[in-house]
Amino acid sequence: MLAEEASKTYATPWDAQKTTGCVCDAGYRGPDCSLQECPTGPDLMMGDGNEKGRDCSGRGLCDYKSGLCKCFTGYHGERCQNQVILS
């Protein structure tokens, strides 16, 4: 017998409003908590830094395996917080 014939149908599954996932230790993120977070801080150019969830102060890319920032050209520091001054 089909569910429709037995008047046992539903519009949404019972778990439609449920959310599951890990609660990661501090310094880790991702669906299985295997990604190591990079340091971050305010963007020294007053852009979107850590206030908007950006890694490396918004001035670099995070290597989630090592937890180290790879700063964009012209920036340096542990969290890409320093700018190279050209003279």
Side-chain angles (χ1 to χ4, degrees), residues 1-2 10 16-17 24 26 29 32 38 45 49 53-54 59 64 68 78 82 84 86:
M1 175 180 257
L2 297 175
Y10 52 89
Q17 301 301 317
C24 301
R29 67 168 78 161
D32 62 354
C38 288
M45 299 299 291
R54 304 270 170 88
R59 298 293 167 179
Y64 294 113
L68 299 173
E78 182 180 86
N82 301 314
V84 175
L86 301 174

Side-chain angles (χ1 to χ4, degrees), residues 8-73:
K8 300 287 183 186
T9 60
Y10 52 89
T12 58
W14 68 272
D15 60 350
Q17 301 301 317
K18 306 286 185 200
T19 304
T20 58
C22 296
V23 176
C24 301
D25 291 335
Y28 290 86
R29 67 168 78 161
D32 62 354
C33 299
S34 65
L35 305 176
Q36 190 172 352
E37 292 182 341
C38 288
T40 191
D43 180 1
L44 64 118
M45 299 299 291
M46 308 308 246
D48 294 333
N50 64 335
E51 303 87 20
K52 301 283 183 161
R54 304 270 170 88
D55 294 317
C56 306
S57 307
R59 298 293 167 179
L61 299 176
C62 181
D63 177 350
Y64 294 113
K65 289 185 180 188
S66 67
L68 299 173
C69 291
K70 180 173 177 169
C71 302
F72 299 144
T73 302

